[in-house]
Amino acid sequence: MELAQQTGSPGNEGDAGARNFLAKRMLCTQNANPWHLRCAKGVSKWDIRHKIWDYMEANNLADFPRPVHHRIPNFKGSFEMSGSVQAWDVFDKAREVKVDPDKPLEGIRLAALQGVRDYSVPVGLDAKVHVDLVVVGSVAVSEKGFRIGKGEGFADLEYAMMVSMGAVREDTVVVTAVHDCQVVDIPEDLLGDHDLTVDYILTPTRIIKTGCNHPKPQGILWHKINHEMLGKIPVLKNLRHREKQEGKDVALKEEQRDVPAADKPVRVAKKSRPERSSFQDQASLSQASREGEASPDNYPLPDAPAAVYVGSIPQGTRVGELKDALRQRHATPARLTWQGAQHRAFLNYSDKATADAAVVALQGLSLHGSPLRVELARSQLSKTGSRPR
């Protein structure tokens, strides 16, 4: 984590001064956003992300690097926002500032360096620091302060880590800077307890105070962290050890009760095959994915009254994306067994009729432009005399 410590910046004109500056200096006009996303019932985060990315590319609002898909999108005029930030009293009062490394925040990072005493100072877990202002990138944000990132969860996790080390508190202000077209309606039910909300939104034409009352992350949610992420972020290991010593629950995603334990093998069709647990499949997520996908005749089945097989899941897909798609199609299972390394998942339903209805509802489902294979799991198909093809 790197912070910039401000000693003051010129031109403290307050919100009114910032708005005047914007009206005179910004490249975009008040008519820069003729499009407004109306969120239909069942819309997912990925629906909103792709709508934003597609719109910015189609209307040539995007800036380097392009294409903006699967990024925090940079936009034309983003760098010039440094001027409006310097004229904003909230920014002027901040002494410890953290700005994410996203490309559209480059101008704001430069503004944070104006008149600083120390910058790019590494901060340890025991550092006595209080961050006054956090600036994060976004793919989409609502005027209510609900934010959607690019889908990897790093901004949410970094904030949670700062909470755990005591660097952010209730009075820490969270800001995002986006193009006007990225300010859209976002249903509150899309937000999870790990999602970071924002207090202010900066665009090329306005400053929005959200008044958001949705709680921000109160610390690291270890049940959402897997071993792969723990290996990629070394400081997480230190934080986990510290919180374990404090007696907190630090069980990781693979270690939760809703994931079958290694001593509870799943059923397999052929008794001659050794039993495998879905926990073992989960552990393989940290290994290189093998090419192709197992045949439906060979996959292990969860022990459930009725199971649906979802195959051909594209590499790199997150389980949250599948959950969003299932919710959108009103096919949320009682339990989901994720086997991403094998490009598949199993959806467990309470009975055969519900599983049949889910198969129908999920026909034609695709992720990242790739169609998914959805059918009843083999144990159910065998009862009806049919087999997966």
Side-chain angles (χ1 to χ4, degrees):
M1 185 188 307
E2 295 183 349
L3 304 175
Q5 186 176 59
Q6 293 188 201
T7 58
S9 60
N12 180 6
E13 301 171 15
D15 286 355
R19 285 192 290 269
N20 290 335
F21 182 92
L22 288 167
K24 296 177 182 178
R25 296 288 300 276
M26 296 313 297
L27 299 180
C28 300
T29 68
Q30 292 290 341
N31 297 321
N33 184 18
W35 167 78
H36 185 68
L37 178 63
R38 299 288 182 183
C39 292
K41 184 178 180 180
V43 70
S44 70
K45 288 183 178 180
W46 280 99
D47 292 329
I48 297 174
R49 289 183 182 109
H50 282 287
K51 189 75 172 179
I52 295 289
W53 289 327
D54 291 345
Y55 182 84
M56 295 184 73
E57 285 291 349
N59 291 274
N60 201 29
L61 300 173
D63 207 346
F64 175 85
R66 298 178 70 174
V68 294
H69 293 77
H70 301 284
R71 306 179 192 270
I72 297 296
N74 192 20
F75 54 90
K76 293 177 180 177
S78 64
F79 191 84
E80 287 78 7
M81 293 183 71
S82 60
S84 63
V85 166
Q86 288 179 313
W88 186 34
D89 62 341
V90 173
F91 182 82
D92 184 69
K93 293 174 182 177
R95 290 295 173 264
E96 302 285 348
V97 180
K98 180 187 182 298
V99 184
D100 282 0
D102 304 306
K103 185 65 174 178
L105 305 181
E106 198 169 72
I108 297 178
R109 286 198 298 277
L110 177 63
L113 294 176
Q114 302 300 314
V116 301
R117 184 176 68 239
D118 300 301
Y119 61 90
S120 295
V121 178
V123 178
L125 295 181
D126 296 319
K128 303 300 181 182
V129 61
H130 177 206
V131 180
D132 305 298
L133 182 67
V134 175
V135 186
V136 297
S138 301
V139 173
V141 64
S142 76
E143 292 190 2
K144 295 181 179 180
F146 307 154
R147 171 190 171 274
I148 295 177
K150 62 183 177 181
E152 296 182 353
F154 286 117
D156 308 310
L157 180 57
E158 282 192 354
Y159 184 90
M161 290 164 59
M162 288 191 291
V163 171
S164 295
M165 62 181 287
V168 297
R169 305 169 190 169
E170 291 294 329
D171 60 344
T172 297
V173 177
V174 180
V175 179
T176 192
V178 297
H179 189 275
D180 288 273
C181 75
Q182 295 173 256
V183 183
V184 300
D185 292 336
I186 298 176
E188 187 170 6
D189 59 9
L190 290 184
L191 270 63
D193 50 3
H194 65 288
D195 286 318
L196 178 63
T197 56
V198 303
D199 304 301
Y200 289 90
I201 304 168
L202 307 183
T203 82
T205 65
R206 55 183 175 154
I207 296 176
I208 304 170
K209 185 175 182 179
T210 67
C212 184
N213 293 320
H214 192 281
K216 293 181 174 65
Q218 298 300 303
I220 300 171
L221 302 178
W222 294 105
H223 65 277
K224 293 184 178 292
I225 306 295
N226 58 31
H227 285 287
E228 183 178 13
M229 182 174 289
L230 194 70
K232 289 181 178 179
I233 308 176
V235 70
L236 272 179
K237 294 181 180 180
N238 296 332
L239 283 170
R240 187 181 184 222
H241 176 74
R242 174 178 293 189
E243 295 197 4
K244 185 176 182 179
Q245 294 297 106
E246 295 172 356
K248 296 181 180 180
D249 181 6
V250 295
L252 300 182
K253 188 174 185 178
E254 298 94 336
E255 301 166 356
Q256 297 300 307
R257 292 180 180 178
D258 60 341
V259 178
D263 60 350
K264 295 182 180 180
V266 299
R267 293 180 181 176
V268 293
K270 299 178 181 180
K271 295 182 179 180
S272 59
R273 290 188 61 190
E275 295 177 325
R276 296 180 61 197
S277 69
S278 60
F279 177 85
Q280 291 170 320
D281 287 315
Q282 277 278 8
S284 67
L285 287 173
S286 60
Q287 301 173 357
S289 298
R290 49 185 196 185
E291 295 184 0
E293 180 181 350
S295 165
D297 289 338
N298 297 325
Y299 52 65
L301 295 173
D303 185 4
V308 172
Y309 168 82
V310 180
S312 301
I313 298 176
Q315 185 173 352
T317 300
R318 295 164 59 90
V319 65
E321 298 172 53
L322 177 59
K323 289 181 178 179
D324 286 343
L326 295 175
R327 182 167 54 245
Q328 182 179 356
R329 299 232 177 175
H330 306 289
T332 301
R335 178 177 169 187
L336 186 153
T337 302
W338 177 253
Q339 298 177 355
Q342 287 73 41
H343 311 289
R344 68 191 179 212
F346 291 96
L347 315 178
N348 299 344
Y349 295 93
S350 58
D351 53 56
K352 174 87 164 41
T354 306
D356 286 337
V359 170
V360 174
L362 297 176
Q363 292 306 305
L365 179 64
S366 63
L367 291 175
H368 301 294
S370 298
L372 304 186
R373 182 175 182 177
V374 181
E375 56 196 36
L376 288 175
R378 187 182 61 258
S379 62
Q380 299 301 321
L381 288 167
S382 61
K383 296 176 183 179
T384 61
S386 59
R387 295 181 61 82
R389 293 178 295 175

